[in-house]
Amino acid sequence: MHQTVTVASRFKGPPTSGNGGYVCGLLASLIDGPAEASLKAPPPLDVDLALAKSGDGSVLMQGDFVLGVAKPATLTLEVPDLPNPLTLGGSPVDAPGRPKKFEPFETCFVCGHDRDHPDGLCIHARVVEGVPGMVAAKWLLDQSYADANGNVSDLMLWAALDCPGYFACAAGEAALLGRLTAEITGKLKASGEATVIGWDLGASGRKRRCGTAVFDAGGNLVAKAEGLWIVVDADRLKAGA
């Protein structure tokens, strides 16, 4: 048995495929508790896809082609304290030492600067001054992100945990999310403001690792994730956009 799902164009990352965190959240929606979601191919927009249980995990398919899989996970990620005061600086892409070869997609549901709130999440990560390797953004919440109980939905939290990680570990590089392991630890009312942070966890070859976390207005941890980004050919990525 499977359910038919569609990644609407609203939830794009690159212009022609789904935002990685959002799609990982779809995969995780069939799993209770922390989950590890891996993307095998860019999820297409506005087409019917099959989301199904697979053992104790889940799988997302387009016809016979696997787009992503997920499984239960244990997340031991240590989340740094939210800096207080939190002082935001410039764009991570412009930070010294960054390659500056690639500008993130401006229409991305999570981080795109061409998106209007609340149609996009408008989580625009900036360098955290005085904390090397960390970025952060204020996230203006909205009732359109809410579940039936008035809290930000798990799907929106998975999306929010995506892009700040890119800006922490791969800013200026052409990179795609390959895996996101996330745990939702609390409830976040879909009003007011939250804070999202990302921090660098190191690199090896084409792999970039990061942590991300969401805090409520009182500084309480709501969700955390460890992400794996894969550096790809910039020209090919733009051509496929």
Side-chain angles (χ1 to χ4, degrees):
M1 292 291 293
H2 71 269
Q3 57 181 286
T4 300
V5 297
T6 301
V7 181
S9 58
R10 176 190 177 193
F11 304 114
K12 67 184 69 174
T16 61
S17 60
N19 170 266
Y22 179 88
V23 177
C24 287
L26 282 177
L27 283 158
S29 67
L30 299 185
I31 299 172
D32 292 329
E36 175 190 291
S38 299
L39 300 175
K40 306 298 184 181
L45 302 171
D46 299 321
V47 299
D48 287 345
L49 306 173
L51 177 64
K53 289 288 290 183
S54 177
D56 60 355
S58 62
V59 61
L60 181 67
M61 302 187 70
Q62 183 181 16
D64 295 329
F65 187 69
V66 176
L67 297 171
V69 297
K71 61 183 180 181
T74 299
L75 185 59
T76 59
L77 178 73
E78 293 188 9
V79 178
D81 293 334
L82 184 63
N84 184 19
L86 179 65
T87 304
L88 302 181
S91 168
V93 176
D94 297 327
R98 288 297 187 185
K100 301 177 185 175
K101 296 178 181 177
F102 183 80
E103 290 288 342
F105 297 111
E106 292 296 325
T107 56
C108 174
F109 171 65
V110 176
C111 69
H113 285 270
D114 287 348
R115 299 295 292 266
D116 294 324
H117 184 271
D119 180 61
L121 300 186
C122 296
I123 299 175
H124 302 145
R126 314 293 290 183
V127 172
V128 176
E129 294 188 357
V131 187
M134 181 181 286
V135 301
K138 294 297 183 179
W139 179 19
L140 182 61
L141 304 173
D142 187 82
Q143 282 297 314
S144 64
Y145 308 152
D147 60 18
N149 297 315
N151 299 312
V152 175
S153 71
D154 289 357
L155 190 54
M156 292 297 104
L157 287 172
W158 273 80
L161 289 166
D162 178 2
C163 298
Y166 165 83
F167 288 103
C169 71
E173 298 182 283
L176 292 174
L177 183 68
R179 184 174 69 229
L180 193 64
T181 305
E183 180 178 6
I184 304 210
T185 60
K187 301 296 185 182
L188 179 64
K189 282 295 182 183
S191 61
E193 195 173 66
T195 302
V196 188
I197 67 170
W199 63 99
D200 191 3
L201 291 176
S204 176
R206 296 192 301 120
K207 297 178 180 180
R208 308 287 182 266
R209 295 177 54 248
C210 63
T212 52
V214 178
F215 296 86
D216 67 15
N220 301 299
L221 180 67
V222 173
K224 61 181 180 178
E226 183 172 336
L228 174 67
W229 292 78
I230 308 297
V231 176
V232 298
D233 181 83
D235 292 334
R236 288 183 60 187
L237 182 56
K238 291 177 181 177

